[in-house]
Amino acid sequence: MANLENGTFKKLDVVVVGGGLAGSLEALFLAKRGHRVRLYEYREDIRNTPQARGRSINLALSIRGRTALREVGLEDHMINNHGIPMKGRNIHRIDGSTYIIPYDSRTKQCIYSVGRNYLNGLLLQESEKYENVERFFNHKLIASNLREGFLSFQKTDTKEIVEVNADLIIGADGAFSAVRKEIMKQPLFDYNQKYIEHGYLELCIPPDSNGGFQMPPNYLHIWPRGEFMMIALPTRTGSWTVTLFMPFTHFKSLDNEDKLLKFFEKYFPDSIPLIGKQKLIADYFAGSASPLIAIKCRPYNVEDKALIIGDAAHAVVPFYGQGMNAGFEDCTILNQLFQKPHDDLAKILKEFSDTRWEDTFAISDLAMYNYIEMRDLVTRPSYLLRKAIDDV
Ligand code: FAD
């Protein structure tokens, strides 16, 4: 049980499971409050990994995420030295013509394209400034007893078992969270998951021969095609992270080079010279489409012992660009709750759990709505909007 010592929390021994975006940021927040933090990450240190692993190379950072980064002193760096402002949607029609839908023509707010690896690496780097943070990579959580504050990890290289105890366990281990699986054993835990019929595959538009952008860089580019769509986010190297979202049945049917090129010539003709025919073929057949899952669950805590945050608590489909941002907002909110003038950790975790779910459920619903809006409704007159939503 945590106590107040001279008006602040007694220093807790915290284990954060998962050193992705939410986990590494939460470790920073806790370190700044003076707690002992041990961060255990399944994979190797992302700073030693040349490419983003699996998921989108670039992400849209919005105000929720920026607010959290501000609290740990990293917002200016991300916005001024790294992020690429995206002022609106740049819509590509099938004939190759484009038009712009600004995000905010009144106050000129925008979102920023940021590199996943870069941001994750920066958060880990920043945590090295704190002596009270230790990082353990290649450690996979394989068993736990949350009420006892007990965790068992297996080293992925040596297979050695590492057992640790903590005052508080933060599960930031993503959509397929091992910590959440343990919480699911608790009575009255609500859980709902939905895989959508669309998957996604990452492609790339390389820089031009001078290392510059082949398209206007300050936009999120969208090729909405009704049942499917493609989007592109700018990166610092002049290239674009391109993501193709389609029903799995479509991915399956494009099973040879000829079919793939015919499909692109029909639906995304202007993208072929940008990507390059050979690169399109190589990148498309190098990977396979990944699934998209939305998870709603509650409560997020187990008494004063454990809490899940980020995708572990609320994975959302990516069409609203708010998954990481919502995970970052979890860290801001938790930090605010730690400033309450009482010493009751159980109360703090319960308050987080009781108040946070309504917002995360709403973000999840908005993301599902934007799943239709982005691929279809941006191309239609607004009177059809209500009908299309009702039809879903
Ligand atoms: P993760 O990033 O999944 O990190 C979890 C970490 O836990 C991983 O490093 C993993 O290795 C580790 N881990 C897992 N299991 C264990 C274990 N057993 N033991 C130890 N460690 C473990 N969000 C946005 O805000 N803006 C966007 O533009 C955006 N675009 C997206 C595009 C796509 C295609 C996708 C798929 C997602 C997008 N998102 C976006 C969502 C965003 O990627 C996630 O919300 C975000 O990565 C969640 O961060 P997290 O730290 O909670 O989970």
Side-chain angles (χ1 to χ4, degrees):
M1 172 70 177
N3 291 308
L4 278 179
E5 267 179 7
N6 304 323
T8 57
F9 256 92
K10 181 180 168 185
K11 302 306 171 221
L12 298 170
D13 193 342
V14 188
V15 165
V16 177
V17 183
L21 293 165
S24 45
L25 178 63
E26 183 54 27
L28 259 183
F29 268 105
L30 291 164
K32 277 175 88 74
R33 303 199 71 77
H35 300 296
R36 177 189 181 202
V37 184
R38 282 171 292 169
L39 179 71
Y40 286 88
E41 165 56 41
Y42 174 25
R43 296 189 252 201
E44 66 180 302
D45 188 337
I46 199 161
R47 290 168 292 176
N48 306 329
T49 318
Q51 269 289 353
R53 301 161 310 196
R55 281 173 311 168
S56 63
I57 294 163
N58 265 54
L59 303 157
L61 175 71
S62 69
I63 192 67
R64 286 191 172 83
R66 285 180 61 177
T67 305
L69 292 175
R70 190 178 313 143
E71 302 272 319
V72 296
L74 295 176
E75 183 196 20
D76 283 349
H77 176 85
M78 281 308 290
I79 298 305
N80 300 329
N81 300 345
H82 178 78
I84 301 174
M86 297 188 291
K87 297 179 285 190
R89 295 159 166 170
N90 192 319
I91 309 294
H92 293 239
R93 292 194 188 95
I94 218 152
D95 65 4
S97 62
T98 60
Y99 63 98
I100 286 163
I101 305 176
Y103 281 128
D104 182 358
S105 45
R106 202 170 47 87
T107 62
K108 308 267 182 271
Q109 282 193 71
C110 64
I111 51 176
Y112 288 81
S113 177
V114 299
R116 180 191 292 275
N117 268 26
Y118 182 87
L119 177 52
N120 205 157
L122 182 74
L123 293 168
L124 292 168
Q125 195 67 38
E126 189 70 11
S127 75
E128 289 187 351
K129 291 185 182 161
Y130 297 86
E131 282 180 0
N132 47 335
V133 185
E134 292 167 276
R135 290 150 298 272
F136 302 91
F137 298 99
N138 302 309
H139 280 68
K140 181 183 183 183
L141 180 69
I142 51 165
S144 59
N145 183 332
L146 301 180
R147 280 178 198 277
E148 299 289 319
F150 169 80
L151 299 160
S152 175
F153 294 91
Q154 183 168 43
K155 285 189 172 184
T156 54
D157 41 10
T158 61
K159 306 294 173 209
E160 186 191 334
I161 301 294
V162 177
E163 295 184 340
V164 296
N165 285 285
D167 297 329
L168 172 63
I169 296 161
I170 302 281
D173 50 344
F176 304 98
S177 166
V179 177
R180 189 187 64 232
K181 276 184 199 128
E182 196 58 32
I183 298 186
M184 278 176 93
K185 295 177 188 163
Q186 310 290 321
L188 299 176
F189 182 78
D190 275 338
Y191 180 79
N192 178 286
Q193 75 173 47
K194 167 123 187 90
Y195 280 102
I196 59 170
E197 67 178 272
H198 284 60
Y200 72 96
L201 186 92
E202 215 128 87
L203 302 168
C204 170
I205 295 175
D208 64 21
S209 52
N210 299 318
F213 289 106
Q214 293 199 64
M215 301 189 291
N218 294 121
Y219 299 98
L220 172 63
H221 287 251
I222 309 179
W223 290 255
R225 297 295 180 261
E227 227 191 323
F228 44 84
M229 70 164 175
M230 197 162 76
I231 65 168
L233 274 78
T235 80
R236 295 291 295 182
T237 62
S239 68
W240 294 80
T241 298
V242 180
T243 314
L244 175 61
F245 295 96
M246 288 200 300
F248 279 102
T249 45
H250 287 45
F251 279 114
K252 219 172 164 188
S253 67
L254 300 180
D255 56 0
N256 66 44
E257 295 179 7
D258 192 43
K259 285 185 194 168
L260 176 69
L261 288 179
K262 280 199 174 115
F263 176 79
F264 265 73
E265 274 155 14
K266 185 166 180 189
Y267 294 108
F268 307 114
D270 65 329
S271 75
I272 299 176
L274 298 171
I275 301 174
K277 262 187 198 174
Q278 287 318 312
K279 185 163 173 53
L280 171 61
I281 292 165
D283 289 355
Y284 182 91
F285 290 108
S288 55
S290 303
L292 292 165
I293 192 169
I295 291 169
K296 288 179 179 173
C297 66
R298 63 187 284 239
Y300 297 139
N301 71 308
V302 175
E303 297 171 354
D304 62 344
K305 290 312 269 187
L307 183 76
I308 44 173
I309 61 167
D311 275 17
H314 45 73
V316 296
V317 290
F319 307 105
Y320 198 46
Q322 288 297 332
M324 164 191 70
N325 288 296
F328 280 6
E329 191 175 53
D330 290 347
C331 303
T332 309
I333 291 171
L334 194 55
N335 190 48
Q336 285 162 358
L337 291 174
F338 266 108
Q339 290 164 36
K340 290 241 164 171
H342 63 70
D343 68 342
D344 194 335
L345 187 54
K347 242 187 194 168
I348 284 175
L349 301 192
K350 185 174 183 312
E351 187 171 345
F352 178 89
S353 191
D354 287 352
T355 55
R356 186 65 179 138
W357 70 271
E358 278 188 290
D359 282 347
T360 61
F361 281 28
I363 288 168
S364 185
D365 293 343
L366 285 164
M368 279 294 183
Y369 162 73
N370 231 28
Y371 166 43
I372 309 157
E373 149 109 8
M374 277 180 85
R375 66 187 152 94
D376 199 3
L377 300 182
V378 287
T379 62
R380 291 205 217 173
S382 58
Y383 66 85
L384 286 178
L385 193 142
R386 175 51 48 201
K387 183 172 184 322
I389 297 167
D390 291 343
D391 286 348
V392 173

